[in-house]
Amino acid sequence: MTALLDHMGRPMAKAEALGSPVRFDRPYESARRNGAFTGNWRPGLRSADADWLNDRDEVIARSRDVGRNEGVGASASMRVVNSAVGFRWDFTSKPNGRALGITYEAARDLGQQIDAQWEQFAYGIHFQADAERTLTFGQLLRLSAAHIFNDGEMLGLIEWAEDEPTRFKTRLRVVDPDRLSNPNGRADNSRLENGNIIAGGIEKTYAGVPIRYWIREGHPSDLGARPSMNWNSWDRYSTDDGRPQVLHAFDKLRAGQSRGVTRFVSVLKLFRSLSKYTEKTIEAAALNALFLGFVKSNAGPSAVREGFEADDLAAWAGEREDYYEENPVEVEGVRFPVLGPDDDVNMQTTARDTSGFDGFTRAILRLIAAALGVTYEELSMDFSQTNYSSARAALMIAWKETLALRGLIEQQIAWPFFAAWLEEAIDIGAVVLPDGAPAFWDAVDAYVEGRWRGPGRGHIDPTKEIAAAAARIEAGISTLEDECAEYDGSDWVEKLEQRARERDKRADLKQPDPAAADLADTPEADRQRDARPSALASVRAAADSPEHTAFLDARPSA
């Protein structure tokens, strides 16, 4: 029999000869539809809004439940908010004199005016920044940060309080993001009568630019209140000049994404499993601490029924009760049921293994911490397995997460609101522009330049890290302003002015100044300064020392 040969001269299989299709495995294993791990894994491929908007309410409800009822969830939220905002943000105004066409001195004087007026507005006793007149500007930012972390987004309205007797009328109202929704249940990505597209309560142009927000007058769950079924539309900008009116801050991670996604979305299942496991472990531990006592009688009712009449049995039971009143059986204050003659007590205990609880919770908490952008130590407050090197590395990663959240708050909340306030401050004469400066909205970005300062990064070993900060300044790669902002969020100018006042006061009181030796212009002071190693040399010597290496690698005993 003659066989058919392929192009290499080898006999062809019958299926190949007949032209039957040959099945190949997919080139990427991740795309294969068989196997134990990928066989039933068929996620849909949809747009960002289709993936999130339909499931948002249920996920957010579960996220808030975790924050209410899970200590770890509440801990994560507070750690992030405290790190990003603390109790206040300070601002140093630095108008761009070159862009404004004014001198450096004029720009500096303008910045000082702005700083003075902003401090009174943002942190005064009348809470002028808050539409509800209960929070300072820093507390408004805390609320905003909490919404961003827990809900994935912050929604705010910049209002004008015309009827209130305060100097400034600009207000910020933080709005529950649940109220942002399509009016009357309109479908997402549907086209309105004016040709715009609406999704998640946000009306956009054909180019995808948000121009209007549809917000309920009340929360959708407040069914007893009529306003919950009424929607108001708010333009993104309230004037033709571009005065911000709606603030919608969220971390946009996909093209076409209209609403923010909570960081909790990827770990809700882990939170639930940890909660259930913790409950069962606590129950097991409680049962392990209990013991049960049983009364075993040699003369049960069936055994004595023939030997006793009913009256005799009642009398015998009474005698038993009297006996137990006079001779109670107790163990550690717990009284057992009464025992009669020939009765005894048998003890039983339950044993359930709970030894794996600590290891399991640590593993789960590390996964949760990684997803939420905090360190395991911050989340659990467990530092038993941490040394200086690992703590420092974890702090650096967490600090990058903090800076990212601060950048989001700064760009999408703080700057627009500050610009709206500054327009009013200039308009009412609280801030006076220098001669030759352009109109506010003609150079708004130059007028609002400055630096926001939140809480400092913090330090694990202040001695080493302050020495490193001094070395950075000495090497010229950092400034006093940068180091003060990172150390504790303070203003470097205020520190210098305060130090000058302290030196003057010491001189008035004829008290020695510890820093006077560094400033003295004498041969002895020069000799001491020359003999003293520089900050760079001190840091280099400490870094190269064996003691320093041993300290970094030392791990505390568990």
Side-chain angles (χ1 to χ4, degrees):
M1 180 177 180
T2 302
L4 296 177
L5 305 178
D6 61 14
H7 68 288
M8 299 294 293
R10 296 174 300 193
M12 297 176 61
K14 181 177 180 180
E16 294 180 281
L18 296 177
S20 300
V22 179
R23 297 185 61 184
F24 296 99
D25 283 335
R26 293 177 180 266
Y28 292 98
E29 291 185 358
S30 299
R32 294 179 182 176
R33 298 185 177 180
N34 53 10
F37 301 105
T38 59
N40 295 321
W41 191 7
R42 302 287 181 86
L45 186 63
R46 299 179 295 184
S47 67
D49 284 346
D51 274 343
W52 175 242
L53 294 181
N54 289 334
D55 296 333
R56 177 197 176 275
D57 291 350
E58 186 168 0
V59 173
I60 294 301
R62 291 176 177 177
S63 171
R64 292 174 185 166
D65 182 70
V66 166
R68 286 192 300 264
N69 297 306
E70 301 296 336
V72 175
S75 171
S77 180
M78 285 297 98
R79 298 291 180 274
V80 169
V81 172
N82 290 338
S83 180
V85 180
F87 71 95
R88 64 178 286 156
W89 268 18
D90 291 313
F91 180 72
T92 300
S93 178
K94 297 181 178 181
N96 191 326
R98 182 172 299 178
L100 295 174
I102 58 178
T103 65
Y104 171 79
E105 290 73 16
R108 183 187 59 191
D109 293 342
L110 176 60
Q112 291 175 351
Q113 285 188 67
I114 294 173
D115 288 342
Q117 296 298 328
W118 170 257
E119 179 69 20
Q120 297 178 54
F121 168 75
Y123 296 103
I125 63 173
H126 297 296
F127 305 101
Q128 296 182 69
D130 183 17
E132 298 178 359
R133 305 286 300 280
T134 59
L135 302 177
T136 65
F137 178 71
Q139 291 169 327
L140 286 171
L141 291 185
R142 281 185 63 87
L143 178 59
S144 301
H147 272 295
I148 292 173
F149 184 74
N150 293 293
D151 301 339
E153 59 189 342
M154 174 271 184
L155 182 65
L157 296 174
I158 298 179
E159 301 177 352
W160 183 264
E162 179 63 37
D163 297 332
E164 296 191 8
T166 54
R167 185 183 188 189
F168 297 103
K169 310 295 183 181
T170 302
R171 302 282 190 269
L172 175 59
R173 181 183 301 276
V174 179
V175 179
D176 193 325
D178 294 352
R179 292 169 55 187
L180 180 63
S181 59
N182 296 342
N184 302 313
R186 194 167 191 130
D188 288 319
N189 294 310
S190 60
R191 192 173 297 277
L192 302 176
E193 292 75 10
N194 57 11
N196 294 329
I197 298 173
I198 190 168
I202 304 171
E203 185 178 338
K204 304 179 181 180
T205 66
Y206 184 78
V209 179
I211 60 171
R212 193 168 293 111
Y213 294 78
W214 292 83
I215 302 175
R216 292 174 183 257
E217 293 182 5
H219 193 276
S221 295
D222 296 338
L223 299 179
R226 181 180 179 85
S228 66
M229 299 305 295
N230 297 335
W231 280 263
N232 292 323
S233 62
W234 297 81
D235 291 338
R236 184 180 181 184
Y237 300 103
S238 59
T239 65
D240 294 337
D241 290 327
R243 177 183 170 87
Q245 180 171 233
V246 180
L247 306 179
H248 186 211
F250 66 95
D251 196 5
K252 191 172 185 178
L253 299 177
R254 280 190 66 184
Q257 181 180 341
S258 299
R259 301 288 297 271
V261 179
T262 174
R263 294 289 292 266
F264 281 99
V265 68
S266 61
V267 291
L268 287 176
K269 184 168 65 174
L270 291 177
F271 269 112
R272 192 63 174 171
S273 62
L274 178 62
S275 175
K276 291 295 184 181
Y277 182 77
T278 302
E279 289 178 4
K280 297 304 179 183
T281 303
I282 293 175
E283 291 176 3
L287 289 175
N288 287 344
L290 297 177
F291 56 85
L292 303 179
F294 296 93
V295 175
K296 181 179 179 181
S297 175
N298 293 325
S302 59
V304 299
R305 185 175 302 145
E306 295 179 358
F308 286 94
E309 297 293 336
D311 293 340
D312 296 332
L313 188 60
W316 181 70
E319 292 177 0
R320 284 182 53 138
E321 183 176 353
D322 294 339
Y323 171 81
Y324 290 130
E325 287 294 332
E326 297 175 0
N327 304 278
V329 180
E330 294 183 354
V331 176
E332 295 184 357
V334 179
R335 186 167 181 174
F336 278 73
V338 294
L339 299 173
D342 296 328
D343 293 349
D344 60 4
V345 176
N346 292 334
M347 308 300 297
Q348 282 192 354
T349 60
T350 59
R352 291 170 172 81
D353 184 19
T354 60
S355 60
F357 177 76
D358 189 57
F360 176 82
T361 54
R362 284 185 179 180
I364 294 297
L365 289 179
R366 284 191 172 94
L367 294 175
I368 293 175
L372 297 183
V374 298
T375 67
Y376 163 76
E377 290 79 10
E378 286 180 299
L379 189 66
S380 64
M381 300 303 290
D382 175 18
F383 297 91
S384 62
Q385 303 297 313
T386 306
N387 60 15
Y388 179 84
S389 296
S390 60
R392 175 76 175 170
L395 180 63
M396 291 177 63
I397 296 174
W399 184 243
K400 291 180 180 179
E401 294 277 355
T402 298
L403 293 180
L405 178 55
R406 283 188 182 180
L408 177 66
I409 296 172
E410 179 179 313
Q411 296 295 330
Q412 299 191 21
I413 302 174
W415 283 124
F417 180 65
F418 177 76
W421 166 82
L422 185 55
E423 179 202 26
E424 180 191 4
I426 294 173
D427 186 60
I428 66 175
V431 173
V432 180
L433 299 182
D435 294 336
F440 177 73
W441 288 111
D442 291 341
V444 57
D445 294 322
Y447 279 116
V448 301
E449 282 192 24
R451 181 167 190 163
W452 296 99
R453 303 187 312 277
R457 184 181 63 181
H459 299 288
I460 300 172
D461 185 346
T463 302
K464 291 181 174 59
E465 297 182 28
I466 290 175
R472 286 193 294 268
I473 294 176
E474 183 178 317
I477 60 177
S478 183
T479 65
L480 184 60
E481 180 181 18
D482 293 335
E483 296 300 334
C484 286
E486 185 171 326
Y487 179 70
D488 60 0
S490 60
D491 184 356
W492 68 283
V493 175
E494 291 181 359
K495 283 191 180 296
L496 290 179
E497 292 175 346
Q498 179 62 27
R499 289 189 63 185
R501 287 192 292 268
E502 290 176 0
R503 283 197 300 268
D504 293 341
K505 191 63 176 178
R506 286 179 183 275
D508 292 342
L509 299 176
K510 295 181 174 55
Q511 292 184 353
D513 187 353
D518 291 336
L519 302 176
D521 188 13
T522 63
E524 179 61 22
D526 290 339
R527 188 190 65 78
Q528 292 180 5
R529 282 192 291 267
D530 293 339
R532 184 185 309 145
S534 67
L536 277 174
S538 299
V539 170
R540 187 180 298 112
D544 294 339
S545 66
E547 295 81 6
H548 181 67
T549 302
F551 170 76
L552 295 181
D553 294 336
R555 187 177 297 272
S557 58

